[in-house]
Structure formats: C-alpha cells, structure tokens
Amino acid sequence: MLQINETHDPALRSWIASANDPLTDFPLQNLPFAVFRRVGSAEVWRIGVAIGDQVLDLTHALCVDGLPDLKESSLLAACRQSTLNDLMSLGLPAWSALRLGLSRALREGSACAYVLMDALVAQSAVEYALPAHIGDYTDFYTSIHHATHVGALFRPDNPLLPNYKWVPIGYHGRVSSIGVSGQQFVRPLGQTFPAGATEPVFGPAARMDYELELGVFIGKGNAPGQRIALDQVDQHVFGLCLLNDWSARDIQAWEYQPLGPFLAKNFATTISPWVITLEALVPFRQPWTRAEGDPQPMAYLDSPLHRDTGAMGISLEVGIRTAEMRRAGLPAQCLGRSRFEQSYWSIAQMVAHHTVNGCNLRAGDLLGSGTQSGPQSHEAGSLLELTRGGQQPLTLANGEVRTFLQDGDEVSLRGRCQANGAVSIGFGVCSGTLLPPLP
Amino acid sequence: MLQINETHDPALRSWIASANDPLTDFPLQNLPFAVFRRVGSAEVWRIGVAIGDQVLDLTHALCVDGLPDLKESSLLAACRQSTLNDLMSLGLPAWSALRLGLSRALREGSACAYVLMDALVAQSAVEYALPAHIGDYTDFYTSIHHATHVGALFRPDNPLLPNYKWVPIGYHGRVSSIGVSGQQFVRPLGQTFPAGATEPVFGPAARMDYELELGVFIGKGNAPGQRIALDQVDQHVFGLCLLNDWSARDIQAWEYQPLGPFLAKNFATTISPWVITLEALVPFRQPWTRAEGDPQPMAYLDSPLHRDTGAMGISLEVGIRTAEMRRAGLPAQCLGRSRFEQSYWSIAQMVAHHTVNGCNLRAGDLLGSGTQSGPQSHEAGSLLELTRGGQQPLTLANGEVRTFLQDGDEVSLRGRCQANGAVSIGFGVCSGTLLPPLP
C-alpha cells in the first residue's frame, strides 16, 4: 500500500539548488518522469527525472553508476528505454525502489552528486516526446459541476442524466492525435447545425474550446476478463499528468447523438510531458465523501480505504495567451481554477469501473478525468461553461474579447498540490496552440 | 486508381487444386493476407497468403526466391515482418505489385510452383494472430436499417436521429480487447437498470449480443491536419475483414447517455484473420445511390467516381452453434443475412469523414462498419433486432430458445462476394465464444 515514507520528508533538500526553491514544481519530493532529448538534437529519446530546473538523464546516470541503490536488472533495463512503458509495466515495488534510489542520490550529502552532475540537462534545453506508447485512451466525465453546467446547455430540461450518480461515465478517445505540450494543430473543419439554420453547414468549427483535465497513466495492466479491485488501483496506476481535451463544441452538438463525441474531439489532445507518480501524491490524498442525499456507490466502487484516502487534492488552472498578447509581450492570463478533490468520481473508481466488465488495461494506457470544474462560475474548466455556451463573452485584461478560442490562442494548464506538513509539488505546464484552418 | 486487371481474370487457375474449387473462399483471384504460425508452435509469427485450403508462408516463399517478380527492397522487407503494418504503410502501388507477383507465382504454369510447394502450410494446421498492430479502432454506424431498428427500441418516439442522413456517425472503440477469430471471453459484469427497478443493479449482463460488421484496415495514413479526399480513399485502405462487435445491451442502455457505449462493448471485439485487399474486391464495386427524398451528401462525401463505384457487394451472414449443438454434433445454424451494399454510408465516406477534421489515421488502424442489417426482419445483424429487444424469442432448429446469447454459444460470421463475370471470393470465418462469468 502507498504510504508516507522517507522520500516525502519535508526536511529533505537536494544538492541541486533550484530544487529547493519553494516555488518549483519539481522539488526532491516530486521526482516525476518524462521522455526527452536535447532540443533539436537527433539523440535517441530517453527517460528523464525532473529535479528543480534540471532533467536527470536516467540512461546517463546509470552509465556512470550514479544510482547505486538500484540493483534489479529489469528495472535498470526499463530505465534505459525510449518510453516509460517497460517501467510502467513493472509495478509498484519497482517504482518505489526507483523513487527511493533517486531520492537518496539527489539529496544533500549524496555521495553520487559528483558523478551525477554530468547527467543533468537544463529543462530549458530539452524537448519532450509523449511519455509512453499509449495503447488506448479513455476519457471520463468525473466532475459533476462540469456535467451539470454542460448538460444544462445541451439539454436544458435534463442537465444531469439519471445514470450520472451511479456510473463513472467514460468513453473511448483517439490515440493518434495525442501530442505532448507544445502541440500545435489546425482548426478543424466539419459539419455543424447553426441556430436557425434549416440544414447543416460545412466549414471551420466556430466554437473551439479547451478542457482542463488530469491524465492518468496505467502502469501494470490486467488480463482480459480480470478486474482491478478498488483497493488495488494504487498498484496499477503509474502516475498523473495534465490533459487538454480540445473540443469543437459546434461539431459536438450536431454529431454526438447517439454514440458520443467523435470528430469534435479527435483532432488533438495535449498532455504535459511530466508524469507525477502516485507515490509522490500520497501526502495530498484526502477522504472521499458523498453529499447528503447522493446514492451510496455500488460495492465495487466503495471501500473503507477508499473513503479514507480516495480523493486527491490537486489545484488546477488554465491560462490563455493570445497572439496579440504574445506580440505585446504580455504573460498568459488565468481564465479559471478548479480542484480535483471536488470531482464526483475518484481515480480508483475510474479504474475499478473500467475493468469491472473484464476490459483489459495495458501499461501506458491513458485515462482522462474529464473536465474539472467547481461549482462557482469562475471555477470552470472550459470556455463553454465560462461564457455560458458563448452567450456571455469574456473580456481579457488587454481588451480582447473571447467567447470561444481564436486562431493563434495558446492555452496552458497547470496543476499544483499543497498540504500541511508536505512540500508542495507541481505538474509543470501543458500548453497547446490553435492554428488557422488549412485553406 | 483501382481497376480490373489480369489478377481478376476469371479464367486463371492455380496449381494448388483446392484454390480452383468454386466454393472456396480463397481462389487465385482473392489472395488475402493474415499473420499465422503452425498451431502450438513457438515460431515467430509471419505473414501468410490464403490460397485454397493452404497458407503461403511469405517469409519462406521469399527465402526460396519463389516470388521473382518482387524487386523493391522495402516491399520485400515488409513481407518478412510479424505484422502487416509495414506492408500496409507502403501504399497501393506496392500492394498491387505484391498481388501481381503472387498471382503469377501461384497460377497454373508458374515456374515457381516447385519451389513454392515447401512454403505452403495447410490452413487446418495453423493459428492466427491479429493481422496488424492496431493503433486506434473506430466503429461506425453505417446501416440505416440497423440504426432505425435499434433506435426504435432505445427511443421509440425518435428512432432515426436528425443527423443520421448527414453525418456518418462513428465513435472510438477499445483496441486492447480486440482478438482474432477463436476468441473466447467471459460474460461481463456491470450495472444495469432492469425494467420496473427503482435503482440500478450489479451483476452479469443478461442481454448479450453479437454485431455482424465489416472491418476496414487503413493502409497508408494521413498527417495530422490533412484530409483524405473521397476519391483518394482507395489509396489509403489496405483491405477488409469481418468484425463482431460483441455487445451487452442491458449495460449499454443504462450507460450510453450522454457519451456513448463504453463497458457495453469494450470487453471483446473479434475479427477474422484474413484481410481481403481492396484490389481483390474491385469486381464487386457497385454504383452508390440515395433513395428519393434523402438529402444530397455534402461535397466532401460526394463525387462522380463515388457515385459510380462507391458501394461494394458483400453478402454477410451470422451463425450460432450452442454448447448443446456442439455436444450433439450439429452444425452452426444461420441466424441472419445482410448485404453491405445496402449500407447508407460507404467505406470511402467513412474514411473521408473520419479525416475531414484533420484527425490522422495510421497504418493498421481499424474501422468497423457498424452492424449490417437489411430492411427485412430476417436480415438483421444482431439479436437485439431479431428478437425485437428480447420480446420475440427465437426457437433454434434443435428446439433451444434464444432471446440473447447463452454461455457457451459460439457465433460465426461469414462474408462472400459474387458478381457476373467474376470468380466469387470469401472472407473465411470470424468466430468467438461467450464463456460464463468469472465467480
């Protein structure tokens, strides 16, 4: 079982100075994984660990014997791959051993500091690949506030469907168009049915939106026909990232009945490069509760352990930087904030539900949490909610107005965890840019 | 452009006698591809070509210089792989060259017959793997008869939704649980909401069903943001197989709003091992038409060439063999037949629509056609339709009764093409068996 251990000790400091900055996303207590190489190089992609403003090159670190605590040959081999899949498939004991070895090697007083210095690369000098080969991508719908807000726009008479409080609703997404932070994509073309029209029209989508989500990378999978029980999920989830499920709302409204969103979402999905391990997130686990009057979850979605620790405190925010803001040298402007602990369904419930029918998950599979929104209007994870379906335009600080995204808009997601007695950790950034449609 | 050529000549005969049987699915004019090895062996999976009741082992055939017409090194390398992905990615000119080389080597009078004999393995002595690494699986909903019949059960007041005649409706499916013919899977557990209940219940799905579909394997993909135009689709589709989209109707009815089917379908999908190339199917192309009163398709879904040759004449059938029938030595019983040329949307329209928003397809991606049903009640591709949602039980020839599938039922799909002046070709078989739920 995942528990607080020496790697979470808030007194630990790293010999890499930038990791001790209280504002860094990547202190010694985080140690997330990515796949990277030097910008513009033709190097083989390799696995890195974020520490302060640096990346520790795991292949290099093992080469110079800089992680002497690691002995297991399968773990050592997995750390030298070009994706995280092998590491993900090893399971929690291996992940914990690696985390402990990294923590000891990177903390003040480590005997490895000298040899590891050469294995560091500045984050500003690297580019990232997708952290894993993703076999399947499933997107959930876990925020009841988002489901209610959006449901009211699509179905004013029936915002929250009767199954919502029983079923962790999910659907399959598109893998081929998932990109890592920095992704640029053209505005999609498609069929829409404008208000007042008598038949559908074809052209560039007009109601382009982002969705502020968390991504969940599966580590150890399950065999076909087998289930992952709620209390076993921590053994199977490798870690979390940020995820932007770009959406074309006008295409979605016309196509989504009866089989769900398709072209409205499958043109692009952006994730952050860094995968925050579940072990790093232990200090931010919270009791999981239901509001009075909500139905008790079915047995496969409920347990005493889950009630104690099923929720996770993660603050999320989304910012926009328009082409005009970039020209004027203005920074991104925050559009909305929300908290993952307000999600109606937890990560463990997502995984237990996904496999309850025997559906097999594989190492590297990605689950999205669905858009995370809070109950208040400024806590929305999408423009659809912030502008009430485009009815209430937003005026940005520089005077620009938005109902939906304009060509050139860059959207960035961030996430951060804070808790008493714990060092704060963050997710880095997940950004992407909407380009004009092709002629 | 795909056209009739010497490989389709009905006068051609093979030096492999079983390929000249008018009832074989695999005459010299077919030449489909699969991935196989000898049953129970630990051989590396390799690419094979069906000819009569034999499999031509491509790796072996190249080893003994049995396909002398093939010169291109990328094509030769692709034929020696353990999946079809490399071959699929090469595109139509390479596929055509390979087909021509195979046709010449396997026809009567071929100088290669002697050396190729050793490269043949009886189909009865082999087992199959999935023909390709499948990156993404998309299921469409192209049969208007199926959509209408099923819509009437789920939404009696509103069977065919307003978008159906405009949008080739599709959704993303699950890749991890796709298996090749012979797949066995346990009855899924899940949430359902039985008629008359006051809240949902949990247990084994009671309304298990098959879906009679075609699968479409993408060959050459498209770059993100680029589209595949309707008249270019033949350059991008490698071939077709049979596909059974197993469904748990009671799970589906409770979960599918608002994001579509999820656990109701992602526990298993079975495809046939043999991929019939688009070139082999040229003699069975037909004009594509719309009924009077149906809307004209949008420009990206319409062209003169498509109107001339967009449809494809494929007869499909589904059979059942229960555990009791197996014990009694009875053969499978046909449950329903339908014809793919009655589909409302064509393969070219599926691909053009899928990519019109810039969604990138990759070699090995799989598209399902959706359940193929005809207008008549005996032409249904699912039990849901045949038994009108379980209201009208079927009595089998041996006296057993079915509304939905029982544990131990084996379902087999078959497909066959016939046309004047052409040798008939078939798809082989796609079978799978429902096992009891795990305790």
Side-chain angles (χ1 to χ4, degrees), chain A residues 344-392:
Chain A
Y344 192 83
W345 299 106
S346 69
I347 292 169
Q349 289 169 322
M350 289 159 59
V351 173
H353 182 67
H354 203 320
T355 60
V356 76
N357 69 341
C359 178
N360 56 316
L361 304 181
R362 298 178 293 187
D365 283 353
L366 179 64
L367 316 184
S369 65
T371 312
Q372 295 300 309
S373 299
Q376 308 300 321
S377 60
H378 63 281
E379 295 172 318
S382 68
L383 281 173
L384 184 68
E385 293 163 86
L386 283 176
T387 68
R388 311 249 164 142
Q391 301 294 306
Q392 298 181 4

Side-chain angles (χ1 to χ4, degrees), chain A residues 97-373:
Chain A
L98 176 56
R99 176 177 166 86
L100 183 59
L102 287 164
S103 174
R104 289 180 176 168
L106 293 170
R107 67 181 66 157
E108 275 181 355
S110 158
C112 308
Y114 185 75
V115 296
L116 283 181
M117 272 180 208
D118 277 353
L120 295 175
V121 190
Q123 284 164 27
S124 58
V126 309
E127 59 188 357
Y128 300 99
L130 287 176
H133 168 81
I134 301 169
D136 278 290
Y137 159 47
T138 302
D139 202 14
F140 282 84
Y141 196 53
T142 67
S143 165
I144 195 168
H145 306 298
H146 172 72
T148 306
H149 297 158
V150 172
L153 297 170
F154 280 75
R155 297 173 302 276
D157 51 333
N158 194 18
L160 197 65
L161 294 167
N163 57 11
Y164 188 88
K165 291 187 175 182
W166 294 92
V167 181
I169 296 288
Y171 67 106
H172 300 112
R174 179 85 193 170
V175 173
S176 69
S177 53
I178 300 175
V180 75
S181 184
Q183 186 175 25
Q184 301 192 328
F185 57 94
V186 297
R187 181 181 291 267
L189 305 179
Q191 292 190 31
T192 61
F193 203 124
T198 55
E199 58 181 50
V201 299
F202 181 81
R207 293 160 69 92
M208 291 296 297
D209 204 353
Y210 54 80
E211 292 196 329
L212 172 61
E213 304 196 15
L214 283 169
V216 179
F217 271 107
I218 299 300
K220 206 172 167 180
N222 59 308
Q226 301 290 332
R227 300 156 56 169
I228 299 178
L230 193 70
D231 286 350
Q232 294 299 312
V233 170
D234 285 357
Q235 315 281 325
H236 291 266
V237 169
F238 180 77
L240 272 56
C241 63
L242 302 166
L243 186 152
N244 188 340
D245 178 28
W246 304 95
S247 300
R249 301 300 181 190
D250 41 357
I251 295 176
Q252 186 175 355
W254 173 231
E255 76 171 1
Y256 91 106
Q257 290 278 22
L259 299 180
F262 179 48
L263 299 190
K265 290 175 178 273
N266 68 8
F267 53 88
T269 302
T270 309
I271 63 173
S272 57
W274 293 107
V275 184
I276 316 299
T277 64
L278 225 50
E279 190 168 354
L281 292 161
V282 168
F284 313 102
R285 301 287 281 256
Q286 297 183 7
W288 181 91
T289 56
R290 272 280 175 270
E292 179 124 358
D294 284 341
Q296 274 303 301
M298 288 197 179
Y300 75 98
L301 298 172
D302 193 27
S303 78
L305 177 65
H306 184 261
R307 268 172 260 143
D308 279 354
T309 64
M312 206 172 277
I314 305 175
S315 297
L316 299 166
E317 72 170 64
V318 55
I320 190 171
R321 196 165 183 230
T322 67
E324 194 171 310
M325 290 161 76
R326 286 198 297 279
R327 274 191 296 272
L330 296 170
Q333 176 177 342
C334 179
L335 289 179
R337 292 192 173 86
S338 62
R339 292 182 291 130
F340 183 55
E341 58 268 40
Q342 294 188 326
S343 167
Y344 192 83
W345 299 106
S346 69
I347 292 169
Q349 289 169 322
M350 289 159 59
V351 173
H353 182 67
H354 203 320
T355 60
V356 76
N357 69 341
C359 178
N360 56 316
L361 304 181
R362 298 178 293 187
D365 283 353
L366 179 64
L367 316 184
S369 65
T371 312
Q372 295 300 309
S373 299

Side-chain angles (χ1 to χ4, degrees), chain A residues 10 20 46 69-70 73 124 151 184 187 247 251 376 412 433 437:
Chain A
N20 303 320
R46 72 272 312 270
D69 286 359
L70 304 186
S73 63
S124 58
Q184 301 192 328
R187 181 181 291 267
S247 300
I251 295 176
Q376 308 300 321
S412 297
T433 305

Side-chain angles (χ1 to χ4, degrees), chain A residues 136 163 166-167 170 172 174-176 189 191 200 225 227 254 257 262-263 266 300 353 357 360 365 438, chain B residues 136 163 166-167 170 172 174-176 189 191 200 225 227 254 257 262-263 266 300 353 357 360 362 365 438:
Chain A
D136 278 290
N163 57 11
W166 294 92
V167 181
H172 300 112
R174 179 85 193 170
V175 173
S176 69
L189 305 179
Q191 292 190 31
R227 300 156 56 169
W254 173 231
Q257 290 278 22
F262 179 48
L263 299 190
N266 68 8
Y300 75 98
H353 182 67
N357 69 341
N360 56 316
D365 283 353
L438 294 184
Chain B
D136 277 291
N163 57 11
W166 294 92
V167 181
H172 300 113
R174 179 84 193 170
V175 172
S176 70
L189 305 179
Q191 292 190 31
R227 299 156 57 169
W254 173 231
Q257 290 278 23
F262 180 48
L263 299 189
N266 68 8
Y300 75 96
H353 182 66
N357 68 340
N360 56 318
R362 297 179 293 187
D365 283 354
L438 294 184

